[in-house]
Amino acid sequence: MGTSEQVNKYKRIQPFVEIMDSTLRDGEQTSGVSFLPHEKLMIARMLLSDLNVDRIEVASARVSEGELEAVSMICRYAARIDKLERVEVLGFIDGGKSIDWAVACGCKTINLLAKGSLKHCTQQLQKSPEAHIADICREVRYAHDKGVTVNLYLEDWSGGMKESPHYVYQLMDALCDIGIRRFMLPDTLGIMNPLQCIEYFRKMLKRYPDTHFDFHAHNDYDLAVSNSLAAVLSGAKGLHVTVNGLGERCGNAPLSSVQVILKDQFNARTNIREDKLNDISRMVESYSGIAVAPNQPIIGDNVFTQVAGVHADGDKKDNLYCNALAPERFGRKREYALGKNSGKANIAKNLEELGLELTPEQTRRVTQRITELGDKKEIVTQEDLPFIVSDVLKHDAPEDRVKLVSYVVSTAYGLKPGANIKVEINGQAYEASATGDGQYDAFVKSLRYIYKKYLGRTFPILQNYAVSIPPGGRTDALVQTVITWNDNGKVLRTRGLDADQTEAAIKATFKMLNIIEDEKEKEI
């Protein structure tokens, strides 16, 4: 059967694919990434309860006291929500020590790591295949005696199928009937291509048709997603993924990409709740410190942003530039970038969202101004539009409702930075002072104090703070600060431009506060 015939077959039968997320184990092997126990718990909670993955691999056994604490916390939580069987720990063939460690944590499933290639068996373990098989059998029996379910990794399985398939079959012949729940086949070094993946899986399924096989991809050749789909097409019942594609070297197959290709290209079923993919991505990005590329499919900042004006025009007429990857499907929305390539259609889309109505001539002048800003490499956000409109059209814009009257920020060696501020809000003056981790942090804390004490209102939460120097690379250029805020679930992005970074951030902050005040006035 050809590949296209297989694809059509899978689309007809709608197969179910089990998803195992290994962010907390394999993902933590990303260089520089180490999750704290409470961070592991929060990620595990979202994976199990919100995203609804089938299984999570949360740690390697016996690594540290921190891992013991984290796994114990996760297991207690999973037991409370009746999902303990979904929590798994990587263990080793070590005379029962890993199994005892997992049991001490309250875990009921262990993923034992065996050698899937003759080279790894004889050179790394320095054992014969027969001795390694005997060790595995003893480990599995011990786990069963402890009431622990066993899955088995065949490390370097792809290398084994390429160079020593007789060894792989020898291992499987000895182990397929001893009570192992799943055999997990890794492309440990990321060396396979999809055609090899199909060939190797067909051979495994032909010899062991009733066995549950998982596939564990690595992305060294940028083929982790392609190989994962090839494995499913060839009969794999489960796939291993990580959030944001975290993992050693080039990482693993990204959960978000695997999910949408399974569903859209093969009509496969999973238990994943797609509208939570962006949320888990942002959480892991924050905890790991590894930024998601803006053009990363599904979860990147820019993937639902149309830049070219002709695209916005096509979307307006009949969604001509949209596909099945609708942003609403993932809890996001389509945006239309503002810059030199925007064109009138992009501007009109953004003005429409803000409720601003302009004549064609006014729209032309605003478009021209935004194009000029784009040529200078300045970023224009939707929240800047009202200010640009007022500036370009010379409207008698209403006076700012929130004004900065005066401020002093200070920093000194051995002392926390401080800020003293005086602001005017709807004609009433307020003063406050605070210290913080930096000058801007102290400034914002002063504002929070005023809003809480004098106005009885919550201050928006700062979600992201980005600084750049337009136009690219000039050290004497102005500092541009773009800040993302969350005001009771509504996301605002505002921009400030100044020679001083703190001043630029303050300008962006007061833009945000005036947007909120204007909206409150409209509600009244």
Side-chain angles (χ1 to χ4, degrees), residues 274-276 278 298 304 319 322-336 353:
E274 292 184 337
D275 61 338
K276 301 298 181 182
N278 193 56
I298 313 305
F304 297 117
N319 290 327
C322 297
N323 57 23
L325 300 174
E328 294 78 14
R329 175 176 164 186
F330 310 106
R332 303 182 64 182
K333 70 173 186 174
R334 193 170 304 282
E335 297 182 1
Y336 296 88
E353 281 201 23

CSV table of all heavy atoms in Angstrom, one decimal, residues 274-276 278 298 304 319 322-336 353:
chain,number,residue,atom,x,y,z
A,274,GLU,N,-7.5,21.7,22.3
A,274,GLU,CA,-6.7,22.6,21.5
A,274,GLU,C,-6.7,24.0,22.0
A,274,GLU,O,-5.7,24.7,21.8
A,274,GLU,CB,-7.1,22.5,20.0
A,274,GLU,CG,-6.8,21.2,19.3
A,274,GLU,CD,-7.1,21.2,17.9
A,274,GLU,OE1,-8.0,22.1,17.5
A,274,GLU,OE2,-6.5,20.4,17.1
A,275,ASP,N,-7.8,24.4,22.6
A,275,ASP,CA,-7.9,25.8,23.0
A,275,ASP,C,-7.0,26.1,24.2
A,275,ASP,O,-6.9,27.3,24.6
A,275,ASP,CB,-9.3,26.2,23.3
A,275,ASP,CG,-9.9,25.4,24.4
A,275,ASP,OD1,-9.4,24.3,24.7
A,275,ASP,OD2,-10.9,25.9,25.1
A,276,LYS,N,-6.3,25.1,24.7
A,276,LYS,CA,-5.4,25.3,25.9
A,276,LYS,C,-3.9,25.2,25.4
A,276,LYS,O,-3.0,25.3,26.3
A,276,LYS,CB,-5.7,24.2,27.0
A,276,LYS,CG,-7.1,24.2,27.5
A,276,LYS,CD,-7.4,25.6,28.2
A,276,LYS,CE,-8.8,25.6,28.8
A,276,LYS,NZ,-9.1,26.9,29.4
A,278,ASN,N,-2.1,27.2,23.6
A,278,ASN,CA,-1.4,28.5,23.8
A,278,ASN,C,-1.1,28.7,25.3
A,278,ASN,O,0.0,29.2,25.6
A,278,ASN,CB,-2.2,29.6,23.2
A,278,ASN,CG,-1.4,30.9,23.1
A,278,ASN,OD1,-0.4,30.9,22.4
A,278,ASN,ND2,-1.8,32.0,23.7
A,298,ILE,N,1.4,27.5,15.3
A,298,ILE,CA,0.3,27.4,16.3
A,298,ILE,C,0.6,28.3,17.5
A,298,ILE,O,-0.3,29.0,17.9
A,298,ILE,CB,0.1,26.0,16.8
A,298,ILE,CG1,0.1,25.0,15.6
A,298,ILE,CG2,-1.1,25.8,17.6
A,298,ILE,CD1,-0.9,25.3,14.5
A,304,PHE,N,-0.6,34.2,13.6
A,304,PHE,CA,-2.0,34.6,13.3
A,304,PHE,C,-2.0,36.1,13.0
A,304,PHE,O,-3.0,36.8,13.1
A,304,PHE,CB,-3.0,34.2,14.4
A,304,PHE,CG,-3.0,32.7,14.6
A,304,PHE,CD1,-2.7,32.2,15.8
A,304,PHE,CD2,-3.5,31.9,13.5
A,304,PHE,CE1,-2.7,30.8,16.0
A,304,PHE,CE2,-3.5,30.5,13.7
A,304,PHE,CZ,-3.2,30.0,14.9
A,319,ASN,N,-12.5,35.7,3.6
A,319,ASN,CA,-11.5,34.9,4.3
A,319,ASN,C,-10.6,34.1,3.3
A,319,ASN,O,-10.3,33.0,3.5
A,319,ASN,CB,-12.2,33.9,5.3
A,319,ASN,CG,-12.8,34.6,6.4
A,319,ASN,OD1,-12.3,35.6,6.9
A,319,ASN,ND2,-13.9,34.0,6.9
A,322,CYS,N,-7.3,32.5,4.8
A,322,CYS,CA,-7.4,31.8,6.0
A,322,CYS,C,-7.4,30.3,5.7
A,322,CYS,O,-7.8,29.9,4.6
A,322,CYS,CB,-8.7,32.1,6.8
A,322,CYS,SG,-8.8,33.8,7.3
A,323,ASN,N,-7.0,29.5,6.6
A,323,ASN,CA,-7.0,28.0,6.5
A,323,ASN,C,-7.7,27.4,7.7
A,323,ASN,O,-8.3,28.1,8.5
A,323,ASN,CB,-5.6,27.4,6.2
A,323,ASN,CG,-4.6,27.8,7.3
A,323,ASN,OD1,-5.0,28.1,8.4
A,323,ASN,ND2,-3.3,27.7,7.0
A,324,ALA,N,-7.5,26.1,7.8
A,324,ALA,CA,-8.2,25.4,8.9
A,324,ALA,C,-7.6,25.8,10.3
A,324,ALA,O,-8.2,25.5,11.3
A,324,ALA,CB,-8.0,23.9,8.7
A,325,LEU,N,-6.4,26.4,10.3
A,325,LEU,CA,-5.8,26.8,11.5
A,325,LEU,C,-6.3,28.1,12.0
A,325,LEU,O,-5.6,29.1,12.1
A,325,LEU,CB,-4.2,26.8,11.4
A,325,LEU,CG,-3.6,25.5,11.0
A,325,LEU,CD1,-2.1,25.7,10.7
A,325,LEU,CD2,-3.8,24.5,12.1
A,326,ALA,N,-7.6,28.1,12.3
A,326,ALA,CA,-8.2,29.4,12.8
A,326,ALA,C,-7.7,29.7,14.2
A,326,ALA,O,-7.6,28.8,15.0
A,326,ALA,CB,-9.7,29.2,12.8
A,327,PRO,N,-7.3,30.9,14.4
A,327,PRO,CA,-6.8,31.3,15.7
A,327,PRO,C,-7.7,31.0,16.9
A,327,PRO,O,-7.3,30.6,18.0
A,327,PRO,CB,-6.5,32.8,15.6
A,327,PRO,CG,-7.2,33.3,14.4
A,327,PRO,CD,-7.4,32.1,13.5
A,328,GLU,N,-9.0,31.2,16.7
A,328,GLU,CA,-10.0,31.0,17.7
A,328,GLU,C,-10.0,29.5,18.2
A,328,GLU,O,-10.3,29.2,19.4
A,328,GLU,CB,-11.4,31.3,17.2
A,328,GLU,CG,-11.7,32.8,16.9
A,328,GLU,CD,-11.1,33.2,15.6
A,328,GLU,OE1,-10.7,32.3,14.8
A,328,GLU,OE2,-10.9,34.4,15.3
A,329,ARG,N,-9.6,28.6,17.3
A,329,ARG,CA,-9.5,27.2,17.7
A,329,ARG,C,-8.5,27.0,18.8
A,329,ARG,O,-8.6,26.0,19.6
A,329,ARG,CB,-9.0,26.5,16.4
A,329,ARG,CG,-8.7,25.0,16.6
A,329,ARG,CD,-8.4,24.5,15.2
A,329,ARG,NE,-7.7,23.2,15.2
A,329,ARG,CZ,-7.3,22.5,14.1
A,329,ARG,NH1,-7.4,23.1,13.0
A,329,ARG,NH2,-6.6,21.4,14.3
A,330,PHE,N,-7.5,27.9,18.9
A,330,PHE,CA,-6.4,27.8,19.9
A,330,PHE,C,-6.5,28.9,21.0
A,330,PHE,O,-5.5,29.2,21.6
A,330,PHE,CB,-5.1,27.8,19.2
A,330,PHE,CG,-5.0,26.8,18.1
A,330,PHE,CD1,-5.0,27.3,16.8
A,330,PHE,CD2,-4.9,25.5,18.3
A,330,PHE,CE1,-5.0,26.4,15.7
A,330,PHE,CE2,-4.9,24.6,17.2
A,330,PHE,CZ,-4.9,25.1,15.9
A,331,GLY,N,-7.7,29.5,21.1
A,331,GLY,CA,-7.9,30.5,22.1
A,331,GLY,C,-7.2,31.8,21.8
A,331,GLY,O,-6.8,32.6,22.7
A,332,ARG,N,-7.0,32.0,20.5
A,332,ARG,CA,-6.3,33.2,20.0
A,332,ARG,C,-7.2,34.0,19.1
A,332,ARG,O,-8.3,33.6,18.8
A,332,ARG,CB,-4.9,32.9,19.4
A,332,ARG,CG,-4.0,32.1,20.4
A,332,ARG,CD,-2.7,31.8,19.7
A,332,ARG,NE,-1.9,33.0,19.5
A,332,ARG,CZ,-0.7,33.0,18.9
A,332,ARG,NH1,-0.1,31.9,18.6
A,332,ARG,NH2,-0.1,34.2,18.7
A,333,LYS,N,-6.7,35.1,18.5
A,333,LYS,CA,-7.4,35.8,17.5
A,333,LYS,C,-6.5,36.3,16.4
A,333,LYS,O,-5.3,36.5,16.6
A,333,LYS,CB,-8.2,37.0,18.1
A,333,LYS,CG,-7.3,38.1,18.6
A,333,LYS,CD,-8.2,39.3,19.0
A,333,LYS,CE,-7.3,40.5,19.4
A,333,LYS,NZ,-8.1,41.7,19.6
A,334,ARG,N,-7.0,36.5,15.2
A,334,ARG,CA,-6.2,37.0,14.1
A,334,ARG,C,-6.0,38.5,14.3
A,334,ARG,O,-6.8,39.3,14.7
A,334,ARG,CB,-6.9,36.8,12.8
A,334,ARG,CG,-6.0,36.9,11.6
A,334,ARG,CD,-6.7,36.5,10.3
A,334,ARG,NE,-7.1,35.1,10.4
A,334,ARG,CZ,-6.3,34.0,10.3
A,334,ARG,NH1,-5.0,34.2,10.1
A,334,ARG,NH2,-6.8,32.8,10.3
A,335,GLU,N,-4.7,38.9,14.0
A,335,GLU,CA,-4.3,40.3,14.1
A,335,GLU,C,-3.8,40.8,12.7
A,335,GLU,O,-3.4,40.0,11.9
A,335,GLU,CB,-3.2,40.5,15.1
A,335,GLU,CG,-3.7,40.1,16.5
A,335,GLU,CD,-2.6,40.4,17.6
A,335,GLU,OE1,-1.6,40.8,17.2
A,335,GLU,OE2,-2.9,40.1,18.8
A,336,TYR,N,-3.8,42.1,12.5
A,336,TYR,CA,-3.4,42.7,11.3
A,336,TYR,C,-2.3,43.7,11.6
A,336,TYR,O,-2.6,44.7,12.3
A,336,TYR,CB,-4.6,43.3,10.5
A,336,TYR,CG,-5.6,42.3,10.1
A,336,TYR,CD1,-6.6,41.9,11.0
A,336,TYR,CD2,-5.4,41.6,8.9
A,336,TYR,CE1,-7.5,40.9,10.6
A,336,TYR,CE2,-6.3,40.6,8.5
A,336,TYR,CZ,-7.4,40.3,9.4
A,336,TYR,OH,-8.2,39.3,9.0
A,353,GLU,N,-11.8,47.4,14.7
A,353,GLU,CA,-11.8,46.7,16.0
A,353,GLU,C,-11.8,47.8,17.1
A,353,GLU,O,-12.4,47.5,18.2
A,353,GLU,CB,-10.5,45.9,16.2
A,353,GLU,CG,-10.7,44.5,15.5
A,353,GLU,CD,-9.7,43.5,16.0
A,353,GLU,OE1,-9.2,43.7,17.2
A,353,GLU,OE2,-9.3,42.6,15.3
